[in-house]
Amino acid sequence: MRPGASLSHVSQYNENAVIHALRVLGPTSQTDIAAQTGLSIPAVSSIVRNLRHLGYLTELRTESVGRGRPRVIVDLEPTANYAVGLHIDPAIMSAVVLDLRGQVVLDGTSESIDPNDPSSSLDEAANLINQLVDASGIDRTRLLGACAAVPGPLDDRTGSITDTVWLPGWAGIAIGEALTRRLGTTVPVVKDTFAAVTGEAWVRGGSMIDSTVVFVYLGTGTGLGLSLNGEPVRGASGNAGEIGRMLVSLGREELRGMDNDPFILVQEAHEQGILASPPPTRWELRQLEEQFRELCRLALDGNTPAEAILRNAGRRIAEMVVMTAEVFDADTVVYGGPNWVHVRPFYEDAAIAALARPSARGPHPVEVLSTAMGTEVGAIGAACAVLDARFVPRLPSRR
């Protein structure tokens, strides 16, 4: 629970506490909101009245409760605000416009991303965002802002990628500053795994909002998003969730923990003669994506060597997830990312089995879920980071 604070200088906090309660409870009454937030019913009544006036809440119906006054059931108004999210992936850029509930109003993608020419790629990103906002028909005065999600490692101070084999020409480029100039609004930059775990809580709502979550992000690379009691974890440098060293202990040291990534799995498939087409280089990302999906299709069709490659990768990732879940005492593990839909048949059972083993924590169940965001985890999560920064109740002293 995130309690309210009965102090005049934190009225915004208390308004956010009410919005937060509605995200947890769904449509509900002022009495239930008061119980959830710890605020008095008169305080909640005043806040609800103001939020309705501002357009954030809508009255759905009244419910009779015996001889007392009927209860007024209120809920969030999804059109009150919107946010834009951009995901810069080595192979594709995707963008979304979300409403206040985290539902996609409009989305789009562009393959015009050049690993060695960030300037033209960012021009394309800005064009994609402007086209989506225009086509969505939303009231621009209700647009809160935009956020970009990028693969790590990230320089949190400058909003730049510091080191990546996938986008070599982007190292040190201040992505947030460049997008801010192009769009005319401040664009923060976050790591894609941070965006993913933030988005999962916002889109799914309910008990997920205050859970301790490990989000397993499966894309061109593999990473973790972490949320502790409902608070997404950025880490000291914005790079929480880097797992290369952990995977080294579970794989082959000479690969530096990358032997669960699609490039290495496709390489292994070629070494075993499973894939017929010429092996892609690390920078031929579209060919890599096509061949990785072909590997998954072969495994699903019963190709035993192909299935073994993927199941071994799934078991290594499951062991990494168990370690992380135990360190953070997580109650939920979510798998997602662009490749999750392809590897789910080979990874999911391994995760469930690994997390069901006896633990020093005792009989504490860990739920394994598939993401509620579909394949656009990065873009949706980035937009949700805008909503999270504005509406999650946090006192000013907290980051």
Side-chain angles (χ1 to χ4, degrees):
M1 182 181 79
R2 293 179 187 255
S6 298
L7 301 171
S8 60
H9 67 283
V10 289
S11 60
Q12 180 70 69
Y13 180 96
N14 287 338
E15 288 182 355
N16 284 351
V18 169
I19 290 172
H20 189 88
L22 283 164
R23 291 180 54 228
V24 173
L25 300 171
T28 193
S29 69
Q30 295 179 22
T31 301
D32 291 336
I33 292 171
Q36 178 73 16
T37 61
L39 291 163
S40 68
I41 291 179
V44 169
S45 179
S46 176
I47 293 168
V48 166
R49 186 164 53 250
N50 187 51
L51 288 173
R52 286 180 61 192
H53 174 71
L54 294 172
Y56 286 108
L57 300 187
T58 185
E59 182 179 317
L60 297 181
R61 61 185 181 276
T62 58
E63 293 182 351
S64 297
V65 284
R67 296 182 179 179
R69 295 176 59 186
R71 299 193 313 166
V72 177
I73 305 302
V74 296
D75 198 8
L76 294 177
E77 172 52 58
T79 64
N81 276 134
Y82 300 91
V84 170
L86 171 72
H87 183 210
I88 298 174
D89 182 81
I92 194 170
M93 291 187 293
S94 55
V96 298
V97 178
L98 295 190
D99 65 20
L100 183 58
R101 287 189 182 279
Q103 300 304 302
V104 176
V105 177
L106 198 63
D107 60 355
T109 61
S110 173
E111 294 185 355
S112 298
I113 180 167
D114 189 327
N116 296 303
D117 185 2
S119 181
S120 65
S121 299
L122 292 170
D123 285 341
E124 177 66 17
N127 290 336
L128 175 62
I129 289 171
N130 283 324
Q131 289 167 10
L132 282 181
V133 173
D134 288 342
S136 69
I138 66 170
D139 182 349
R140 279 184 176 263
T141 65
R142 298 190 177 191
L143 184 60
L144 283 178
C147 177
V150 300
L154 174 71
D155 185 331
D156 203 28
R157 297 173 297 104
T158 63
S160 61
I161 301 171
T162 59
D163 179 31
T164 173
V165 297
W166 304 110
L167 294 170
W170 291 62
I173 299 297
I175 296 169
E177 181 181 314
L179 288 171
T180 296
R181 287 197 308 271
R182 288 164 168 82
L183 295 172
T185 185
T186 301
V187 182
V189 178
V190 298
K191 194 175 170 187
D192 50 14
T193 51
F194 176 86
V197 75
T198 303
E200 193 67 31
W202 196 276
V203 171
R204 196 179 287 273
S207 62
M208 174 68 74
I209 291 173
D210 292 318
S211 295
T212 294
V213 180
V214 176
F215 190 106
V216 186
Y217 182 89
L218 301 164
T220 306
T222 306
L224 294 181
L226 306 169
S227 181
L228 186 60
N229 298 326
E231 188 67 30
V233 177
R234 293 180 67 97
S237 67
N239 284 293
E242 287 291 328
I243 56 173
R245 290 185 182 274
M246 190 183 298
L247 288 174
V248 165
S249 67
L250 300 168
R252 292 167 285 178
E253 187 170 358
E254 68 273 14
L255 294 175
R256 298 186 300 162
M258 297 187 297
D259 53 333
N260 300 283
D261 291 346
F263 177 71
I264 302 300
L265 299 180
V266 166
Q267 272 194 331
E268 189 173 349
H270 278 288
E271 290 167 3
Q272 296 187 31
I274 297 170
L275 296 173
S277 53
T281 67
R282 188 176 293 278
W283 295 278
E284 294 176 316
L285 295 174
R286 288 173 184 77
Q287 293 92 320
L288 170 60
E289 183 178 296
E290 291 171 2
Q291 292 191 27
F292 184 67
R293 292 181 180 182
E294 176 63 16
L295 174 64
C296 294
R297 282 194 294 268
L298 288 170
L300 202 58
D301 289 342
N303 184 302
T304 302
E307 184 177 353
I309 288 173
L310 294 170
R311 290 201 182 278
N312 286 336
R315 281 191 287 269
R316 287 191 294 269
I317 290 174
E319 291 303 319
M320 174 267 297
V321 169
V322 169
M323 294 178 193
T324 309
E326 294 204 345
V327 167
F328 280 86
D329 193 20
D331 53 22
T332 309
V333 169
V334 180
Y335 275 70
N339 284 327
W340 171 236
V341 66
H342 306 295
V343 300
R344 182 176 181 177
F346 316 104
Y347 286 22
E348 190 170 43
D349 290 346
I352 293 171
L355 288 162
R357 294 198 305 257
S359 167
R361 295 178 302 158
H364 176 70
V366 180
E367 188 173 16
V368 179
L369 300 174
S370 182
T371 182
M373 293 182 284
T375 58
E376 294 181 326
V377 167
I380 293 174
C384 288
V386 176
L387 301 173
D388 175 276
R390 169 60 180 82
F391 292 110
V392 170
R394 296 182 178 98
L395 292 174
S397 59
R398 292 185 62 185
R399 180 171 179 175

